[in-house]
Amino acid sequence: MPSATAPYPLTPPDAAAAHALWEAWVSGLPDAQTPAETYALGQFGDHRTMADELLDLVLRGVKTATASLLDEYRWEGETPPSIGAHTVFCDGSGVPRVIVRTTRLEIRRFDAVDADHARAEGEGDRSLAHWRADHRAFWDRICTAAGTRFAPEMDVVLEHFAVVWPPAEDSARHGARPG
């Protein structure tokens, strides 16, 4: 995860703009591809610079996975994602920028995350060592804010996803609508 020298707090997601984006995307899908469920609303990281940098990696096709401590969902009163679920991700200013669909999930201990997952997250030099160092620092902050301590045996939700909007350049050129 990128680090910022002077992090700025995240601006909460613009729920109305996310809903408008979601409705516009869904209304353009053929009936057979229309998702039955709603979407989650999210941002990457814990400050504006990080959210923008990670979102940029997603938009460039470099970042195709993310990770969250399983405990984070409990602390925030949320349900972990499921395969096929959609998320509208916003930038650090709360503007919705991308819709992704979860394609694969796995729960592993932090100390059991492998190099393949680290590479799929697309951050830094994409190595496992970089992934562990940056995620450890990030989760140290998150755990401290939640009143607990990070431990390497904590469970991590490893989520792989595919961008469904905006359409990939090749799909848009050929009139295809990914979903």
Side-chain angles (χ1 to χ4, degrees):
M1 301 185 149
S3 61
T5 55
Y8 297 97
L10 291 168
T11 300
D14 183 336
H19 182 73
L21 174 67
W22 175 260
E23 290 298 319
W25 175 67
V26 169
S27 71
L29 293 174
D31 288 340
Q33 289 185 343
T34 302
E37 78 274 7
T38 60
Y39 58 91
L41 188 56
Q43 291 170 295
F44 292 106
D46 63 346
H47 57 80
R48 203 175 298 170
T49 302
M50 181 184 289
D52 291 346
E53 289 177 2
L54 296 178
L55 183 63
D56 181 62
L57 292 174
V58 172
L59 292 170
R60 290 189 293 124
V62 176
K63 182 175 182 61
T64 60
T66 193
S68 304
L69 287 177
L70 184 58
D71 284 341
E72 284 181 83
Y73 293 101
R74 183 175 48 82
W75 298 334
E76 295 173 8
E78 297 177 3
T79 303
S82 58
I83 294 173
H86 292 84
T87 302
V88 175
F89 277 105
C90 298
D91 63 20
S93 297
V95 177
R97 300 279 312 280
V98 68
I99 302 172
V100 302
R101 184 184 73 247
T102 302
T103 58
R104 190 172 79 201
L105 288 167
E106 187 175 353
I107 297 177
R108 288 190 191 175
R109 289 169 38 131
F110 172 84
D111 55 9
V113 173
D114 62 20
D116 288 339
H117 184 81
R119 181 159 185 73
E121 285 212 33
E123 300 166 24
D125 65 5
R126 300 178 79 176
S127 70
L128 181 57
H130 182 274
W131 185 92
R132 284 193 175 146
D134 275 11
H135 282 73
R136 171 76 190 244
F138 174 73
W139 286 325
D140 277 340
R141 291 193 309 270
I142 298 300
C143 287
T144 297
T148 190
R149 294 192 66 165
F150 173 81
E153 57 275 354
M154 293 180 99
D155 286 331
V156 178
V157 177
L158 306 178
E159 178 182 3
H160 290 255
F161 55 80
V163 171
V164 297
W165 187 92
E169 209 173 288
D170 287 341
S171 295
R173 197 176 9 221
H174 295 95
R177 295 187 192 274

